[in-house]
Amino acid sequence: MSTNKILLKFAKKGINLSPEAYDKVINAENPLDFASTLIVKLKGDKFSSKDLVSVSGETIDEITGNVEKPEKSNQKTLNDVPEEKPEIKTQIKPENKPLTQQTPQPTKTQPSTQEKPQTKPLTQKTPQPTKTQPSTQEKPQTKPLTQKTPQKDKKPISMENLKKDSDKPEKYVNQTIVEATETVKDEKIKFKRNEQKINAQYDFEILQDMSKKSYTSGELENLIAYFKNRYEKLEKILSKRPELRSYTKIADIDDSQDSLSLILMVREIRSSKNGHKIVEFEDDTGNISILFSHNNEELFAEAEKLVKDEVVGVIANKSDDKGFAFGQQIIKPGVLRVPDKEMDFGVVFLSDVHIGSLTFLEDAFTRFIDWINCDYGTEEQRRVAEDVKYLIIGGDIVDGIGVYPNQDKELAIKDITQQYNEAARFLRNIRSDIKIIIAPGNHDASRVAEPQPAVPEEYAKALYELDNVEFISNPGLVSLDGIKVLIYHGRSFDDLVMAVKEFTYEKSDLLMEELLQKRHLAPIYGERTPLASELEDYLVIDEVPDIFHTGHIHVNSYRKFKGIHMINSGTFQTQTSFQKIHNIEPTPAEVPVIHKGKYKHFKFL
């Protein structure tokens, strides 16, 4: 990477590097990502504008944790060793700064992991020989202060180094992504394909868009209508299951029935003192409590995945108490297998680009645009790009304003309209025969409550001016040459991870499968995902898609479930402060592609 490019990246943020500081940046393992991390740290509260006039090498060391602190005494313990900062230690090679006095290296009888012996004061007596030293051995002479003992390369002592392999959690690996992944090669060609407009023909249709269908007034009657509509939609799906064709309403249960077939909404979930799961259900006629015994492991595991406000079918045995029953089977609305469809084109999936953030990976995103324009990559990789007909961006194309406390300190662009203008500058460079579909996320300039209407033109006028861009709500359903794609940003993943102990952010393919099984994109009402109490519940999955695309958690994932491609498209942003707190490792600049019905995965870092 050229000196000018690195210096310009800092200069755009009002930061000047000293030669020593520049050397430390350019010698990092990944200079671009390291530069982005440093910029965030330097723009924080700790440093003033005066500090940024000429950032010294010592300042870089202070940020990265490579400053050696003077010893307080001749004795050193683990508590005296400065804590390493994990996000930096793999980026910069630590300098070996000589001390004024070095201590002798351990003898062969000392293990290699032993701490360094303490520096002896000039008046200290030489220690007595150990058992491995003959008693006639000469006492070692005190070395002059200026003499240095040759040092072998040693890792600094830290709690991380002392951890056993068994103490470290096993990292989840999506094997399908591993097998499909290839890094786009740095083979750039000269010609451009986007210098003039092309009158391309698309078989494109918006099947579901809630942008202009908001009729809620926030009244209690709206909320009642919302849940009633949810129940009726899912009741219609469930009643087609053979086990539930003759289902009974709670109010119609009579003494002659031993086995019950019910379609119910979850109202409350609790555990008994014996560890069984007791779920209080309701329908439009009454309430009933059903116990799921932990002795039936398979059924109990299904009960563990139940969440408030979802609608399921239940087969139960009636008890003597009319308001109580014993669960035998849980039936989710589910999806039938989707047949494969012929596909002679490619679709690219993006989300969480976060343009406007200091941690936006601009260089990687530029490489992605060069690839989709067929100007970058190997011949085979460019051939895949040539077949791309659609690009879907499933939310958070920009970083937004005021999304979380103190966000302004992590922004390179602090005006929402300017963020969308910058997004338009990038997308304008994409060749014009690609249809671009943009849905909002929780960082975009749309209402927070789902369903979110499309990003309004008043904020994103520059994007609306592009002929090949289409805007849609979150969620939204589109048809791309007959291929149905359900686009949902994925904020309800936050609620599922909190509600069900089995679920984690890194296994978002399991989260997507669960939403398809529940046939609802955000079943839990009143938690972290704000839901608008519309007169109709637009988050019920009425039509089963061929492709289900999500984002939000910044971790790529893919799996095919009953013929449905489930894709989480990752991010173009480095690790955020929120993700560091929750130990979430993003997978930035990794782009999924469905190419002629097959999954491909390209890396641009």
Side-chain angles (χ1 to χ4, degrees):
M1 172 162 301
S2 67
T3 300
N4 289 340
K5 196 165 185 178
I6 282 286
L7 293 177
L8 182 61
K9 190 175 183 71
F10 281 89
K12 285 181 178 179
K13 318 300 181 188
I15 301 170
N16 295 315
L17 298 179
S18 68
E20 183 185 0
Y22 171 74
D23 288 340
K24 292 179 182 292
V25 174
I26 203 66
N27 288 324
E29 287 185 15
N30 192 323
L32 277 177
D33 287 351
F34 183 59
S36 297
T37 302
L38 282 178
I39 288 170
V40 173
K41 300 286 186 181
L42 289 167
K43 297 294 282 186
D45 292 335
K46 188 173 181 180
F47 298 96
S48 66
S49 57
K50 293 181 180 179
D51 296 324
L52 306 183
V53 172
S54 180
V55 177
S56 65
E58 288 78 6
T59 301
I60 302 296
D61 287 337
E62 180 184 347
I63 292 174
T64 60
N66 285 320
V67 178
E68 295 190 3
K69 298 181 180 178
E71 297 180 8
K72 296 180 180 178
S73 66
N74 288 332
Q75 292 186 342
K76 186 180 277 190
T77 67
L78 282 178
N79 293 329
D80 295 325
V81 180
E83 182 183 356
E84 295 182 66
K85 297 187 177 182
E87 70 272 20
I88 298 296
K89 68 179 181 182
T90 59
Q91 298 278 5
I92 286 189
K93 300 175 182 178
E95 295 183 356
N96 294 323
K97 296 188 178 179
L99 301 173
T100 56
Q101 181 175 356
Q102 300 286 340
T103 57
Q105 296 298 311
T107 65
K108 291 182 179 178
T109 60
Q110 294 172 311
S112 60
T113 57
Q114 183 176 342
E115 294 182 29
K116 295 181 181 179
Q118 305 303 317
T119 304
K120 304 179 183 66
L122 292 178
T123 58
Q124 183 176 337
K125 292 182 180 181
T126 306
Q128 294 300 316
T130 64
K131 291 181 181 181
T132 58
Q133 295 172 321
S135 60
T136 57
Q137 182 177 342
E138 293 184 3
K139 297 178 180 179
Q141 295 181 356
T142 304
K143 295 186 178 180
L145 290 176
T146 55
Q147 185 174 347
K148 302 179 182 65
T149 304
Q151 242 182 342
K152 296 180 181 179
D153 292 335
K154 283 190 175 183
K155 293 183 179 179
I157 300 173
S158 71
M159 292 307 296
E160 187 67 26
N161 295 336
L162 295 177
K163 282 185 178 179
K164 297 178 181 178
D165 290 339
S166 59
D167 295 334
K168 299 178 181 178
E170 184 178 349
K171 186 175 180 180
Y172 172 72
V173 177
N174 188 311
Q175 195 59 38
T176 305
I177 286 183
V178 172
E179 294 171 359
T181 297
E182 55 181 293
T183 300
V184 177
K185 301 297 182 182
D186 189 4
E187 298 179 13
K188 193 166 183 178
I189 57 177
K190 294 181 180 180
F191 65 81
K192 286 277 187 182
R193 291 187 56 185
N194 59 334
E195 291 179 348
Q196 58 185 6
K197 292 186 178 181
I198 300 172
N199 294 321
Q201 298 296 317
Y202 310 99
D203 183 6
F204 170 75
E205 183 181 359
I206 296 177
L207 302 177
Q208 190 174 18
D209 180 9
M210 285 70 74
S211 297
K212 298 179 181 179
K213 297 182 179 179
S214 180
Y215 302 108
T216 183
S217 62
E219 302 290 335
L220 178 61
E221 290 77 9
N222 292 158
L223 187 61
I224 295 171
Y226 171 79
F227 279 108
K228 184 178 180 181
N229 180 261
R230 174 188 294 195
Y231 178 82
E232 289 173 349
K233 280 188 171 186
L234 293 169
E235 179 187 34
K236 184 177 180 180
I237 295 171
L238 283 162
S239 63
K240 295 177 181 177
R241 298 289 296 268
E243 311 94 317
L244 297 171
R245 283 177 182 164
S246 300
Y247 71 96
T248 304
K249 292 287 187 178
I250 294 174
D252 296 332
I253 297 174
D254 59 43
D255 295 337
S256 64
Q257 293 175 285
D258 293 324
S259 179
L260 306 175
S261 298
L262 307 165
I263 296 178
L264 306 167
M265 178 179 287
V266 177
R267 183 172 181 176
E268 185 180 348
I269 304 171
R270 64 184 187 275
S271 296
S272 73
K273 62 181 180 180
N274 294 323
H276 306 300
K277 189 72 66 177
I278 300 175
V279 182
E280 184 178 346
F281 292 99
E282 63 182 332
D283 63 14
D284 51 356
T285 68
N287 301 336
I288 188 171
S289 294
I290 299 178
L291 181 144
F292 298 94
S293 172
H294 63 70
N295 296 323
N296 186 335
E297 294 182 3
E298 185 176 347
L299 178 62
F300 190 79
E302 286 300 308
E304 290 269 74
K305 295 179 185 177
L306 290 174
V307 298
K308 288 195 302 181
D309 308 318
E310 74 168 301
V311 179
V312 295
V314 178
I315 307 299
N317 291 334
K318 194 181 65 172
S319 72
D320 294 336
D321 182 352
K322 186 178 180 180
F324 195 86
F326 299 96
Q328 303 300 312
Q329 186 180 357
I330 296 172
I331 304 168
K332 297 177 182 177
V335 292
L336 298 176
R337 177 166 293 278
V338 174
D340 291 335
K341 294 181 179 177
E342 289 189 10
M343 183 177 177
D344 62 354
F345 58 95
V347 184
V348 174
F349 299 88
L350 298 181
S351 64
D352 302 275
V353 185
H354 288 281
I355 294 169
S357 168
L358 285 170
T359 51
F360 164 55
L361 294 168
E362 179 177 340
D363 297 277
F365 196 62
T366 300
R367 286 193 291 272
F368 159 72
I369 291 176
D370 287 338
W371 167 76
I372 206 171
N373 285 336
C374 310
D375 299 339
Y376 188 85
T378 65
E379 182 179 353
E380 178 60 30
Q381 290 165 346
R382 295 196 304 270
R383 190 174 295 119
V384 174
E386 287 177 358
D387 293 328
V388 173
K389 193 172 182 180
Y390 298 96
L391 166 62
I392 295 178
I393 304 177
D396 289 358
I397 188 174
V398 299
D399 202 52
I401 304 293
V403 179
Y404 55 88
N406 299 316
Q407 184 190 11
D408 59 307
K409 296 174 183 176
E410 299 181 8
L411 290 176
I413 303 173
K414 300 186 179 183
D415 178 88
I416 188 65
T417 300
Q418 292 303 317
Q419 289 182 8
Y420 283 112
N421 288 347
E422 182 74 352
R425 184 178 69 83
F426 282 108
L427 299 190
R428 190 179 291 116
N429 291 326
I430 292 177
R431 66 180 210 253
S432 57
D433 62 331
I434 292 179
K435 174 76 74 176
I436 303 173
I437 300 105
I438 300 176
N442 57 300
H443 281 251
D444 282 293
S446 181
R447 79 175 181 188
V448 177
E450 296 179 357
Q452 292 179 279
V455 175
E457 185 175 357
E458 62 180 297
Y459 297 111
K461 186 177 180 181
L463 283 171
Y464 272 84
E465 290 173 351
L466 300 180
D467 292 338
N468 59 336
V469 170
E470 299 278 351
F471 289 89
I472 193 171
S473 63
N474 169 45
L477 183 68
V478 297
S479 173
L480 311 179
D481 288 38
I483 305 297
K484 293 180 183 178
V485 182
L486 176 59
I487 307 164
Y488 175 58
H489 183 62
R491 192 170 184 185
S492 69
F493 291 161
D494 295 336
D495 293 330
L496 279 180
V497 169
M498 294 292 291
V500 181
K501 62 182 179 181
E502 176 185 333
F503 294 145
T504 63
Y505 283 109
E506 62 183 356
K507 298 180 182 180
S508 59
D509 55 317
L510 296 181
L511 300 176
M512 285 184 275
E513 177 186 329
E514 190 66 17
L515 294 184
L516 287 172
Q517 292 281 49
K518 296 180 187 301
R519 293 291 288 268
H520 201 284
L521 295 170
I524 306 174
Y525 189 92
E527 296 296 334
R528 298 176 66 180
T529 306
L531 302 177
S533 52
E534 304 281 0
L535 301 182
E536 180 179 352
D537 187 351
Y538 294 111
L539 285 94
V540 173
I541 303 174
D542 293 308
E543 290 192 61
V544 179
D546 300 296
I547 300 173
F548 181 24
H549 173 216
T550 64
H552 186 59
I553 59 178
H554 295 204
V555 180
N556 285 87
S557 188
Y558 172 81
R559 188 157 57 89
K560 202 169 183 181
F561 172 68
K562 293 192 174 181
I564 302 168
H565 297 277
M566 301 187 304
I567 300 170
N568 191 296
S569 49
T571 184
F572 266 89
Q573 184 182 39
T574 55
Q575 191 179 43
T576 65
S577 56
F578 173 84
Q579 291 169 333
K580 289 177 184 177
I581 293 171
H582 292 83
N583 198 30
I584 300 171
E585 293 186 21
T587 52
E590 299 186 17
V591 177
V593 182
I594 299 295
H595 178 247
K596 298 183 177 181
K598 303 295 183 182
Y599 178 79
K600 291 186 176 293
H601 192 92
F602 293 132
K603 298 177 71 172
F604 293 91
L605 276 181

